[in-house]
Amino acid sequence: MILASGPISIAQYIAEANAQYYATRDPLGSAGDFTTAPEISQMFGELIGLWAVAVWQQMGMPANIRLIEMGPGRGTLMMDALRAARGMPEFRKAASVHLVETSPFLRKIQQNTLKSSSFE
């Protein structure tokens, strides 16, 4: 593209890299390019889940909250967080989960990961 059209912006480069590489495969783990804390241990996600419950309680337990994760990969962190929050059904009822993911490939993996929760 650069040879054909000349210089491109960083934003355009990132968009192309995402479309051509990241969005077409699972980049995580030993077969991928990198790994993240949630893929190594469930403890990180569980701590996030317990923290979210504690903050929700400090907020007065509002009836509606959003749990939003940017770039959730396989959905492992969110699944671990929701599992830790299982003991607080009021929180689970109040929470709506939103995974912001550009990769259609990873969105399918996330659906499978979150199948056992009430937040598919």
Side-chain angles (χ1 to χ4, degrees):
M1 180 186 300
I2 293 170
L3 288 175
S5 303
I8 61 174
S9 69
I10 291 176
Q12 189 176 0
Y13 173 80
I14 297 294
E16 287 296 323
N18 183 52
Q20 301 298 319
Y21 180 77
Y22 180 72
T24 62
R25 61 185 53 95
D26 182 355
L28 298 165
S30 59
D33 297 322
F34 61 94
T35 193
T36 60
E39 299 296 332
I40 295 170
S41 170
Q42 66 192 46
M43 187 183 313
F44 183 68
E46 289 173 348
L47 287 170
I48 296 291
L50 294 173
W51 170 82
V53 169
V55 171
W56 172 73
Q57 289 172 325
Q58 292 170 357
M59 294 169 57
M61 300 169 61
N64 296 300
I65 60 163
R66 292 185 179 97
L67 298 177
I68 302 168
E69 184 178 359
M70 307 293 285
R74 296 175 180 156
T76 305
L77 183 139
M78 187 61 73
M79 188 68 235
D80 293 342
L82 295 173
R83 184 177 48 255
R86 191 177 293 156
M88 181 61 75
E90 299 88 355
F91 174 80
R92 296 284 303 263
K93 184 178 178 187
S96 62
V97 171
H98 303 273
L99 303 178
V100 181
E101 178 61 62
T102 60
S103 168
F105 185 88
L106 288 174
R107 283 196 298 263
K108 287 182 182 181
I109 293 174
Q110 292 159 11
Q111 286 177 334
N112 288 331
T113 300
L114 295 175
K115 234 178 214 174
S116 65
S117 78
S118 59
F119 297 103
E120 293 180 53

